[in-house]
Amino acid sequence: MTSRIDRISLLAVPGLAYLAVIYALPLLILLAKSIRTPDGISFAEYAAFFSDDYNMGVLLRTLRVAALTTLLALLIAYPTAFAMNRAKGPMLTVFLVAMVLPMSLGVVVKAFAWSILFRANGFINTSLQWIGLTEKPVRMLFTETALVIGAANVFLPFMVLPIYAVVRQLDQRLPEAAASLGATPFFRFFHVTLPLTLPGVVAGSAFTFSMAISMYVIPSLIVGERQQTLSMLIARSFLYLRNEALGSTISAVLLAIAIIVVVFSSWLARRLEARQ
Amino acid sequence: MTAEKAPAGRHYLDVWGVAKSFKGTRVMSDMNFRVERGELVSLLGPSGCGKSTLLRIIAGLLDADEGSVVLDGRDITRQPAHKRNISVVFQNYALFPHLTVAENVAFGLRARGMAKGATGAPVADALALVRMTEFADRPIAALSGGQQQRVAVARALVVGPDLLLLDEPFSALDRKLRETMQVELKSLLLDRGITAIFVTHDQEEAMGVSDRIAVMNAGRIEQFADPSTLYSRPASPFVMDFVGLSTRLEAVSKGRDGDLTVFDTAYGKVRAQENIPAGTRALVGVRPELVKPGEGENRIATTLADVMVLGSKTVLHGGAGEVDRILCELPGIRSGMARGDKVELGWAVGDTLVYGMAS
């Protein structure tokens, strides 16, 4: 019996080997560079990074943008997942295609499409002025708002699909049982539906947040150099400043945040599932 | 729809003229169903007969297209489920998997606005009632089927419902446990004077737990009567077949002979009290325990197709399958009879059930 399990676990070897060579090894080298200085091992780069107001500003902006992106994606995705669960046949296909198709379009194309939407003489501004809500064009391109809206759009499928998977598993009689016990729709949602779909919310949020925190192309195209994010800072350190120590340090910070998100979310998901 | 109002207050539960369609298909029309206070009633029928639809309409989980539902004088037809004060025990209990046993039982109280601290005593009482006190803090997943059913019952009763609906409550339990739970639940409901409606497809279960049974078929109630009437005087061949087993023979009336009607069957002449005009096709039936070898005014000769010794009874099978079926049930173990034996089976004229068929 044991030998059989061992043989099956051998199937993980190609994947693990691939990850070790392509992912873990370069990452270790990168991390090593962040603590290796001419004077030996030192965390001076980290101290310098965290004591720099500009860097801290970028870090906070990155976290804020990722959090707002996750929140916006969640607000759109949660009802969408329920609508998909109700949809049948061709309507469900439309939903799924609408989820997957934009992913094949590429971020660059989408980002240029948004700039048409958001720019001073773009669709939104023209509409706002035509309705009479604003007199002058509102600045939208190169703002954090545009970035959050754009990023939420790109990451939406990664929020919808995990929630949809959980909603599909939800026993429809549970809300009915709650109703027959006197629970209003509001009470049913907060005491039955939401707690039972929370694992999907956690998974979707973890995906979206960890992708939003490390996104590079979207902020480069939407907000440009004016408002840096951690990823842009890393790219600048490596490509323009040729400062590998700084670049590796910021990479390590970003990695640490990603690890915290992953560990915390899987702990939360396990805890939620243990209750069920 | 007619403008008549339901005769509110005459009956405890008054389902009146209810109709329901799904995607253009009428599954129920002009349904009338009345239950008195404190009664235990079953809706009995095969799957697709409309019993679950009726239950869901009463519970408010489904809207009736027409008609009204009146409970204790209140017209609840347009009330949402959560305002009706009708508790439901679902087929697989629908316990909340993210809550403990005690939290499940407290759910209805909390939903009605009771403070968390105040639910302790009523929840403890309800758990004691179903003998689940020591399981209060367990998660639902740790319970067996029978324990889950007890929790579902406690959860449904703790809120003091005006009506309790139970959708196939025993179907997930194995046979032995099912019988124990039936006895337990029935005495619990009777002790507390709770009006309850069971939905079931199991005629033994319906007969065991209810004061009255509504036998449903194709969206209609075929007969609504107490178990003994239902069994001894089924109103239609459907009820006769669905509630218990019986001998059934295809027959043609030969007209009256004195006070009785004579029927021709494939196994000889049978007499019955019902007046069926000569030449009319009919179905003749008799309950198996009323059939005895070599006794009774009605006699038919048959070859035994099977003899089943079941311990508490021995069942003799005769006749030819579905069209003509002859059953004789004798108490205890009977030896000395075997497949292929020629026997004469008989029963009393008064026990004969006759259903004239439209020709």
Side-chain angles (χ1 to χ4, degrees):
Chain A
M1 197 63 203
T2 12
S3 72
R4 182 162 176 79
I5 289 170
D6 285 345
R7 286 229 305 266
I8 288 172
S9 64
L10 285 179
L11 294 173
V13 167
L16 288 176
Y18 178 82
L19 276 181
V21 175
I22 300 300
Y23 183 74
L25 196 63
L27 208 59
L28 278 175
I29 298 171
L30 195 71
L31 291 181
K33 284 193 175 171
S34 72
I35 52 171
R36 205 180 61 195
T37 59
D39 317 321
I41 304 278
S42 150
F43 289 93
E45 284 291 343
Y46 289 90
F49 176 83
F50 284 110
S51 57
D52 186 322
D53 283 347
Y54 178 75
N55 289 342
M56 286 308 283
V58 173
L59 174 63
L60 286 181
R61 180 185 304 124
T62 308
L63 289 172
R64 185 173 60 233
V65 166
L68 289 173
T69 301
T70 308
L71 187 67
L72 180 62
L74 179 61
L75 289 177
I76 299 169
Y78 197 76
T80 306
F82 279 85
M84 277 174 76
N85 187 47
R86 188 61 63 87
K88 286 187 196 87
M91 198 56 207
L92 180 60
T93 313
V94 168
F95 264 118
L96 290 171
V97 168
M99 281 293 124
V100 176
L101 200 61
M103 286 201 264
S104 66
L105 196 56
V107 178
V108 177
V109 180
K110 269 191 277 190
F112 281 115
W114 297 325
S115 66
I116 295 171
L117 205 63
F118 288 132
R119 71 189 173 201
N121 59 348
F123 177 76
I124 294 180
N125 266 319
T126 322
S127 306
L128 286 176
Q129 287 170 70
W130 189 75
I131 303 168
L133 273 176
T134 54
E135 282 181 13
K136 280 188 225 157
V138 180
R139 183 186 175 80
M140 282 182 289
L141 207 55
F142 308 115
T143 63
E144 223 174 83
T145 312
L147 174 58
V148 167
I149 293 173
N153 173 301
V154 173
F155 301 137
L156 196 60
F158 299 96
M159 185 65 95
V160 173
L161 294 175
I163 299 177
Y164 171 60
V166 173
V167 170
R168 251 177 54 164
Q169 302 288 317
L170 188 68
D171 184 349
Q172 278 313 304
R173 278 170 317 186
L174 296 176
E176 287 186 348
S180 80
L181 290 166
T184 59
F186 188 79
F187 193 91
R188 295 204 286 271
F189 178 77
F190 283 103
H191 289 84
V192 178
T193 311
L194 184 60
L196 288 172
T197 50
L198 222 44
V201 170
V202 169
S205 300
F207 280 143
T208 307
F209 189 85
S210 46
M211 283 189 294
I213 206 156
S214 57
M215 62 185 173
Y216 172 69
V217 179
I218 306 169
S220 312
L221 292 173
I222 297 186
V223 293
E225 290 293 308
R226 194 189 305 263
Q227 293 185 332
Q228 298 270 332
T229 63
L230 282 185
S231 297
M232 291 161 81
L233 219 51
I234 295 168
R236 202 175 60 165
S237 312
F238 280 115
L239 300 175
Y240 303 117
L241 307 178
R242 301 276 167 199
N243 186 344
E244 289 197 348
L246 179 61
S248 338
T249 303
I250 308 170
S251 302
V253 171
L254 195 55
L255 184 67
I257 296 170
I259 288 173
I260 290 169
V261 169
V262 169
V263 169
F264 176 72
S265 65
S266 49
W267 170 80
L268 200 60
R270 255 204 314 277
R271 230 186 78 115
L272 288 170
E273 254 148 49
R275 292 210 65 185
Q276 298 174 26
Chain B
M1 208 191 140
T2 49
E4 266 179 89
K5 275 299 284 175
R10 297 253 309 277
H11 305 277
Y12 186 64
L13 173 72
D14 201 333
V15 174
W16 183 82
V18 161
K20 182 70 191 173
S21 299
F22 290 116
K23 290 182 179 160
T25 310
R26 222 357 119 82
V27 295
M28 187 175 284
S29 52
D30 196 30
M31 167 62 69
N32 294 292
F33 174 61
R34 289 173 185 112
V35 176
E36 306 307 330
R37 188 187 295 271
E39 255 191 323
L40 304 183
V41 164
S42 282
L43 297 173
L44 174 67
S47 60
C49 72
K51 58 191 194 295
S52 291
T53 302
L54 181 55
L55 183 96
R56 292 174 66 81
I57 287 172
I58 296 169
L61 300 172
L62 208 59
D63 284 331
D65 297 340
E66 288 172 24
S68 51
V69 181
V70 180
L71 179 62
D72 203 8
R74 294 183 284 142
D75 187 339
I76 57 171
T77 315
R78 300 280 155 235
Q79 258 184 2
H82 66 268
K83 291 191 178 146
R84 292 193 179 192
N85 200 27
I86 296 177
S87 287
V88 183
V89 172
F90 288 83
Q91 187 165 10
N92 292 313
Y93 317 127
L95 296 173
F96 304 119
H98 59 300
L99 303 178
T100 64
V101 167
E103 285 167 339
N104 263 277
V105 177
F107 189 93
L109 299 171
R110 299 276 295 129
R112 280 152 215 247
M114 189 183 274
K116 205 165 200 165
T119 59
V123 168
D125 285 349
L127 285 176
L129 197 67
V130 295
R131 297 187 284 110
M132 287 292 287
T133 305
E134 64 269 40
F135 294 91
D137 297 320
R138 301 273 179 94
I140 295 306
L143 304 183
S144 70
Q147 292 167 338
Q148 289 194 17
Q149 197 210 38
R150 291 207 180 103
V151 175
V153 169
R155 182 178 74 171
L157 290 183
V158 74
V159 294
D162 291 330
L163 180 63
L164 179 66
L165 305 178
L166 304 102
D167 189 2
E168 303 271 6
F170 305 105
S171 65
L173 307 176
D174 63 58
R175 194 186 169 87
K176 277 225 172 84
L177 185 59
R178 200 184 307 169
E179 280 163 14
T180 318
M181 295 301 286
Q182 282 167 11
V183 174
E184 209 171 272
L185 186 57
K186 184 179 179 180
S187 61
L188 180 70
L189 297 178
L190 288 175
D191 289 348
R192 295 173 58 104
I194 288 162
T195 313
I197 302 171
F198 292 81
V199 157
T200 179
H201 64 272
D202 181 332
Q203 53 102 5
E204 267 187 44
E205 176 183 317
M207 298 192 59
V209 296
S210 14
D211 299 318
R212 283 195 298 158
I213 301 169
V215 179
M216 289 185 70
N217 182 30
R220 293 182 308 112
I221 293 179
E222 295 246 343
Q223 188 174 9
F224 191 12
D226 62 280
S228 57
T229 306
L230 211 60
Y231 188 76
S232 55
R233 289 287 146 199
S236 67
F238 177 83
V239 176
M240 179 181 81
D241 276 344
F242 202 81
V243 180
L245 295 164
S246 57
T247 290
R248 49 178 297 169
L249 300 170
E250 287 195 342
V252 178
S253 169
K254 291 280 137 187
R256 298 294 272 181
D257 173 18
D259 296 343
L260 305 173
T261 307
V262 183
F263 295 90
D264 248 353
T265 76
Y267 297 85
K269 296 225 181 312
V270 169
R271 282 159 216 273
Q273 284 156 347
E274 279 81 353
N275 192 353
I276 306 277
T280 310
R281 294 201 308 123
L283 194 69
V284 169
V286 60
R287 292 301 189 187
E289 67 281 3
L290 302 173
V291 178
K292 305 242 155 49
E295 280 178 41
E297 299 103 324
N298 280 327
R299 296 285 181 94
I300 55 173
T302 183
T303 307
L304 291 180
D306 198 7
V307 177
M308 297 168 92
V309 180
L310 300 177
S312 66
K313 61 190 178 188
T314 301
V315 183
L316 312 179
H317 289 258
E322 278 305 299
V323 182
D324 289 325
R325 185 175 60 206
I326 299 166
L327 284 175
C328 170
E329 235 179 68
L330 302 167
I333 297 171
R334 299 297 176 101
S335 48
M337 278 176 293
R339 183 184 144 85
D341 286 0
K342 290 200 188 310
V343 291
E344 198 180 50
L345 299 173
W347 64 90
V349 163
D351 292 334
T352 313
L353 306 167
V354 177
Y355 304 96
M357 314 237 267
S359 42

